[in-house]
């Protein structure tokens, strides 16, 4: 079955996707949102790749070094065995900060015998828009393009450069390396220097994971998801990416193809909340700084998303020369959704701010800045919560009064009240409680459908929507409230399909949805757990985990019938929800299960 059988490597500056046979098929340099240098993922013919080729007698296996992001692809044929260790360097520098150059290292580790392989080194710079020429120099192989933009890429190796470029057979008798770099190296690259980079990077990730709590169950899945979320953070500004790719379709052959290499306030804030709970303070601090830099004034200049370097204009264009993933065009760069109005982002952001007050100590200057933002958020919500918007799913046509958006407006005020109470701002508490009460009453009277026996997607609608399952986790309603239980049951009845959930089933801008949005199934499992159906939740969860790829990674969507991964990859949304669900189910004891059955 065709699947997104890729591993991700990265260094919080950029990332690369490597197939289960050891081919680099997606990478943008020098940063996540730069033009691609390898894009076979989006066009098998002209996209470009860097492949390690062996004959069919070799067995190929792949896994990460445990608790790291170093991906090991093992090639074996009897006694002839070697491994490719792929990584992007990341480690602490002696004088502070991080070493995270825009480069990929492929450390070729000789295990035994005399294995042979060939290299297909075929970079296509600038999204393969023009011709990429390759030249062999004394110390490196350089690739150049003179298309719309001039660009270069350097390859360093201790193997015969002619054999590498020509794809001739290479016999391996000792360790070797390839280093793909955006910049020309100043100092000589050797097997020893590359091995040192390998070890430093390995130690960095082992130390990072050592600061992450351990859980009774699902530890492997939690660890891999935590590392994946970390790989989707951008150190330079504190931004968090929704995914590492663009234009992987929600359904093969359709046009729901979006560029996810941006920072959505919603997605990023949810990621930060989860990673903060795992104790990683620096990520949270950098993200809050990112947000504070974007809203310097005391008014409503908050978009739903930004570029990772704080860009505010994310104009959307298409790359029509690329055929798209499995011929699913168009390939998009940029995202027009940045212009949309989505009222829920204020609640999600305010929830993260409240979490920071609880989890981390704040200095006075920082606290005063956050308090100013808090007051501004409540002012914006109070002014606009009665208005329709595009909603969490970014409908591109009509605005509606989406239930989730209204609930998150309530969350914004509720969390602001909690911050005000911490800071002893009683005058604000009294005033804001009135606003919160008004929003809640509006939701309870207009979002409930007697016909559906559930809270619905939008006011006056009978359509169900998985996002309303978050009413309980955000504290809007109790898990044992009959209306919430009824909503969970209604969503299972109407939106579940063979162990997976639709986001919604009603027609949107592009027709009827035909694949499962992965995070929604995690939300549903959490809801089952919360209403006391623990065993059922665990069965659903174990089944969903089996749909990951061979490395435990998830994309945005899953095909209902084939269980094929679809959509951009790996998806921050999916992995943050996996962690939340796993932690909940990890904390369940047998005694608690018995009590649940007795209630």
């Amino acid at each position: 079955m065709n699947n997104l059988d890729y591993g991700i490597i990265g260094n919080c500056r950029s990332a690369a996707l490597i197939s289960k046979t050891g081919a680099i098929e997606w990478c943008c340099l020098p940063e996540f949102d730069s033009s691609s240098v390898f894009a076979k993922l989006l066009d098998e013919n002209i996209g470009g790749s860097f492949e390690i080729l062996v004959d069919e007698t070799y067995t190929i296996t792949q896994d990460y070094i445990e608790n790291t992001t170093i991906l090991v692809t093992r090639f074996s044929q009897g006694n002839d065995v070697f491994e490719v260790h792929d990584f992007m360097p990341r480690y602490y520098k002696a004088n502070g900060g991080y070493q995270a150059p825009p480069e990929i290292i492929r450390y070729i580790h000789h295990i035994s015998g005399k294995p042979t392989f060939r290299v297909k080194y075929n970079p296509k710079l600038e999204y393969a828009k023009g011709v990429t020429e390759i030249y062999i120099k004394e110390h490196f192989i350089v690739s150049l393009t003179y298309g719309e933009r001039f660009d270069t890429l350097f390859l360093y190796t201790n193997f015969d450069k002619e054999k590498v470029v020509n794809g001739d057979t290479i016999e391996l008798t000792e360790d070797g390396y390839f280093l793909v770099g955006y910049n020309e190296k100043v100092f000589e690259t050797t097997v020893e220097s590359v091995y040192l980079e390998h070890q430093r990077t390995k130690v960095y990730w082992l130390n990072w994971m050592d600061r992450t709590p351990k859980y009774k169950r699902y530890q492997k899945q939690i660890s891999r998801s935590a590392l994946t979320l970390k790989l989707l953070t951008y150190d330079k500004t504190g931004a968090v990416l929704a995914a590492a790719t663009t234009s992987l379709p929600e359904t093969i052959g359709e046009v729901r193809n979006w560029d996810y290499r941006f920072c959505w306030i919603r997605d990023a804030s949810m990621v930060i909340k989860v990673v903060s709970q795992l104790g990683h303070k620096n990520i949270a601090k950098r993200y809050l700084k990112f947000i504070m830099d974007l809203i310097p004034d005391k008014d409503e200049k908050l978009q739903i998303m930004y570029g990772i370097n704080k860009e505010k204009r994310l104009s959307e264009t298409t790359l029509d020369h690329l055929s798209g993933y499995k011929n699913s065009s168009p390939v998009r760069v940029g995202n027009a959704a940045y212009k949309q109005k989505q009222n829920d982002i204020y609640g999600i952001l305010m929830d993260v701010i409240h979490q920071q007050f609880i989890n981390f100590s704040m200095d006075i200057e920082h606290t005063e800045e956050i308090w100013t933002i808090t007051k501004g958020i409540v002012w914006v919500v109070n002014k606009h919560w009665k208005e329709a918007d595009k909603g969490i799913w970014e409908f591109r046509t009509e605005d509606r009064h989406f239930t989730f958006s209204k609930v998150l407006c309530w969350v914004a005020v509720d969390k602001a009240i909690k911050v005000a109470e911490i800071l002893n701002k009683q005058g604000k508490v009294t005033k804001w409680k009135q606003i919160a009460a008004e929003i809640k009453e509006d939701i309870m009277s207009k979002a409930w459908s007697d016909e559906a026996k559930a809270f619905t997607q939008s006011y006056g609608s009978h359509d169900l929507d998985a996002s309303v399952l978050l009413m309980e986790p955000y504290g809007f309603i109790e898990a044992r409230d009959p209306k919430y239980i009824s909503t969970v049951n209604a969503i299972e009845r109407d939106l579940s399909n063979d162990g997976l959930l639709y986001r919604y089933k009603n027609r949107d801008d592009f027709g009827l949805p035909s694949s499962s949005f992965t995070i929604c199934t995690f939300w549903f499992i959490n809801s089952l757990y919360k209403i006391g159906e623990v065993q059922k939740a665990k069965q659903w969860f174990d089944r969903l985990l089996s749909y990951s790829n061979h490395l435990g990674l998830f994309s945005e969507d899953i095909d209902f019938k084939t269980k094929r991964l679809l959509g951009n990859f790996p998806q921050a949304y999916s992995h943050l929800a996996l962690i939340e669900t796993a932690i909940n189910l990890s904390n369940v004891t047998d005694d608690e299960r018995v009590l649940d059955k007795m209630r």
Side-chain angles (χ1 to χ4, degrees):
M1 182 185 76
N2 285 322
N3 203 5
L4 289 170
D5 286 324
Y6 293 94
I8 182 174
I9 61 171
N11 59 2
C12 303
R13 179 171 180 175
S14 186
L17 297 187
I18 299 169
S19 77
K20 63 182 177 182
T21 58
I24 303 175
E25 296 189 1
W26 177 252
C27 183
C28 300
L29 292 175
E31 297 176 332
F32 287 108
D33 60 350
S34 302
S35 300
S36 63
V37 296
F38 302 114
K40 185 177 180 179
L41 182 70
L42 296 180
D43 193 307
E44 294 187 10
N45 294 318
I46 68 167
S49 62
F50 184 1
E51 304 177 33
I52 305 295
L53 303 173
V54 294
D55 65 46
E56 65 278 2
T57 61
Y58 278 79
T59 299
I60 306 174
T61 58
Q62 190 177 64
D63 206 351
Y64 286 101
I65 295 177
E66 187 176 5
N67 290 327
T68 79
T69 64
I70 300 174
L71 186 64
V72 179
T73 309
R74 186 179 180 94
F75 300 82
S76 58
Q77 176 199 239
N79 189 49
D80 298 331
V81 184
F82 71 101
E83 293 176 343
V84 179
H85 291 226
D86 284 307
F87 64 98
M88 298 181 78
R90 179 174 174 82
Y91 50 88
Y92 293 110
K93 293 191 286 191
N95 59 350
Y98 300 98
Q99 179 75 2
E103 59 191 41
I104 301 169
I105 290 178
R106 316 201 76 179
Y107 186 75
I108 314 298
H109 181 38
H110 175 258
I111 303 292
S112 60
K114 293 184 177 180
T116 58
F117 66 93
R118 293 182 296 111
V119 171
K120 182 179 181 181
Y121 182 65
N122 185 34
K124 297 291 185 180
L125 307 185
E126 295 294 318
Y127 294 119
K129 286 179 183 176
V131 175
T132 296
E133 299 173 353
I134 296 179
Y135 300 96
I136 298 175
K137 301 294 185 179
E138 182 181 357
H139 299 296
F140 52 75
I141 298 164
V142 63
S143 304
L144 304 94
T145 185
Y146 298 94
E148 293 179 14
R149 290 181 65 244
F150 172 74
D151 208 355
T152 56
L153 189 71
F154 299 88
L155 176 67
Y156 293 84
T157 182
N158 66 326
F159 296 112
D160 185 304
K161 291 190 280 293
E162 293 276 357
K163 287 186 175 181
V164 170
V165 170
N166 295 330
D168 296 335
T169 298
I170 296 171
E171 182 178 273
L172 190 67
T173 57
E174 59 185 1
D175 289 1
Y177 72 90
F178 298 98
L179 187 155
V180 181
Y182 186 74
N183 300 314
E184 184 178 344
K185 305 297 287 184
V186 174
F187 300 106
E188 182 184 5
T189 304
T190 63
V191 173
E192 291 75 21
S193 69
V194 165
Y195 179 74
L196 182 58
E197 296 283 285
H198 179 284
Q199 294 301 301
R200 284 170 166 166
T201 300
K202 179 180 175 181
V203 167
Y204 168 83
W205 290 111
L206 289 174
N207 284 335
W208 192 85
M209 280 306 302
D210 189 54
R211 300 194 301 275
T212 305
K214 305 299 182 288
Y215 294 90
K216 292 180 290 186
R217 301 182 184 91
Y218 305 113
Q219 179 58 44
K220 182 177 181 180
Q221 291 87 350
I222 292 170
S223 297
R224 183 51 50 200
S225 292
L227 287 164
T228 302
L229 293 181
K230 173 67 172 173
L231 285 178
L232 293 174
T233 65
Y234 180 59
D235 259 0
K236 182 178 174 182
T237 63
V240 181
L241 285 80
T245 56
T246 178
S247 303
L248 298 188
E250 296 178 20
T251 301
I252 301 297
E254 292 192 3
V255 297
R256 299 170 193 260
N257 315 330
W258 317 113
D259 192 346
Y260 274 18
R261 296 170 298 160
F262 301 107
C263 182
W264 270 259
I265 299 299
R266 180 193 307 108
D267 302 42
S269 297
M270 288 180 172
V271 168
I272 293 302
K273 183 179 179 181
V274 168
V275 176
S276 295
Q277 290 169 348
L278 296 176
H280 294 288
K281 299 181 181 182
N282 288 338
I283 292 178
K285 288 179 179 177
R286 281 195 291 266
Y287 176 67
L288 279 181
K289 180 69 165 58
F290 176 79
I291 293 298
M292 287 189 289
D293 287 347
L294 288 168
I295 42 177
D297 304 320
K298 300 176 183 179
D299 60 13
E300 52 179 294
K301 293 184 179 179
L302 190 62
Q303 296 177 186
I304 68 163
M305 60 190 290
Y306 294 90
I308 59 172
N309 283 299
K310 306 178 187 176
E311 300 93 341
K312 296 183 179 181
R313 289 179 56 84
L314 310 176
S315 302
E316 187 175 300
T317 59
T318 60
L319 301 177
D320 297 329
H321 65 289
L322 295 176
S323 62
Y325 178 78
K326 307 301 179 186
N327 294 313
S328 300
S329 58
V331 172
R332 303 178 200 262
V333 174
N335 198 308
Y338 81 94
K339 300 176 182 177
Q340 289 189 1
K341 177 182 178 183
Q342 295 173 21
N343 292 332
D344 63 285
I345 62 172
Y346 296 102
I348 288 166
L349 180 57
M350 199 62 238
D351 184 46
V352 169
I353 289 172
H354 175 239
Q355 286 292 322
Q356 303 320 303
F357 269 96
I358 293 173
N359 294 334
F360 308 128
S361 60
M362 300 272 190
D363 57 56
I364 292 297
E365 182 182 358
H366 199 127
T367 300
E368 289 174 350
E369 199 168 354
I370 292 291
W371 176 237
T372 297
I373 291 173
T374 298
K375 290 187 294 181
I377 286 174
V378 177
W379 184 86
V380 171
V381 169
N382 188 39
K383 183 179 178 183
H384 296 292
W385 73 266
K386 294 180 182 179
E387 299 170 3
D389 70 346
K390 298 295 185 186
I392 183 175
W393 306 128
E394 299 182 352
F395 284 71
R396 290 197 167 195
T397 51
E398 64 176 314
D399 289 0
R400 304 180 195 173
H401 292 279
F402 289 102
T403 300
F404 182 78
S405 293
K406 303 295 185 186
V407 169
L408 269 293
C409 285
W410 174 88
V411 170
V413 183
D414 180 66
K415 299 301 182 182
I417 290 168
K418 290 178 168 59
V419 170
E421 288 172 338
I422 292 171
L423 299 176
N424 198 28
K425 300 290 187 180
Q426 291 304 319
K428 294 295 186 185
V429 169
T430 303
K431 181 180 178 181
W432 291 351
K433 280 185 175 180
Q434 294 172 352
I435 300 171
E438 183 184 359
I439 299 174
K440 187 162 194 173
E441 182 182 352
D442 191 69
I443 295 167
M444 296 301 289
S445 63
K446 296 178 181 177
W448 176 262
S449 166
D450 287 326
E451 180 181 320
K453 294 183 173 55
F455 292 103
T456 56
Q457 184 180 74
S458 57
Y459 286 4
S461 163
H462 300 304
D463 296 319
L464 297 182
D465 190 309
S467 65
V468 303
L469 294 171
L470 297 182
M471 296 171 85
E472 187 278 333
Y474 279 112
F476 181 84
I477 195 170
E478 294 291 327
R480 298 306 173 118
D481 187 299
K483 285 192 171 183
Y484 184 71
I485 294 172
S486 180
T487 298
V488 174
N489 292 333
I491 284 175
E492 178 179 12
R493 183 178 63 247
D494 287 10
L495 297 187
S496 68
N497 180 354
D498 195 24
L500 297 169
L501 246 68
Y502 286 94
R503 284 183 280 185
Y504 48 83
K505 291 174 75 173
N506 48 296
R507 183 174 295 274
D508 60 20
D509 313 321
F510 301 97
L512 295 172
S514 56
S515 60
S516 172
F517 204 66
T518 309
I519 194 174
C520 296
T521 307
F522 285 119
W523 288 345
F524 174 67
I525 294 166
N526 265 325
S527 299
L528 287 176
Y529 165 77
K530 292 291 185 66
I531 68 173
E533 297 193 38
V534 175
Q535 279 290 77
K536 186 174 179 180
K538 190 174 185 304
Q539 289 168 0
W540 271 72
F541 188 58
D542 290 341
R543 180 172 54 196
L544 180 55
L545 291 180
S546 73
Y547 302 152
S548 74
N549 76 2
H550 64 299
L551 296 169
L553 301 179
F554 280 95
S555 61
E556 180 182 44
D557 305 272
I558 300 175
D559 183 86
F560 283 112
K561 290 183 180 179
T562 65
K563 305 304 186 283
R564 173 180 183 163
L565 299 180
L566 297 165
N568 281 307
F569 174 91
Q571 180 82 356
Y573 245 174
S574 300
H575 284 281
L576 72 89
L578 187 159
I579 292 173
E580 288 179 324
T581 310
I583 289 173
N584 279 336
L585 294 177
S586 176
N587 292 331
V588 175
T589 66
D590 291 335
D591 291 342
E592 288 169 330
R593 287 197 181 90
V594 173
L595 289 173
D596 278 321
K597 292 177 182 178
M598 294 171 58
R599 287 181 181 137

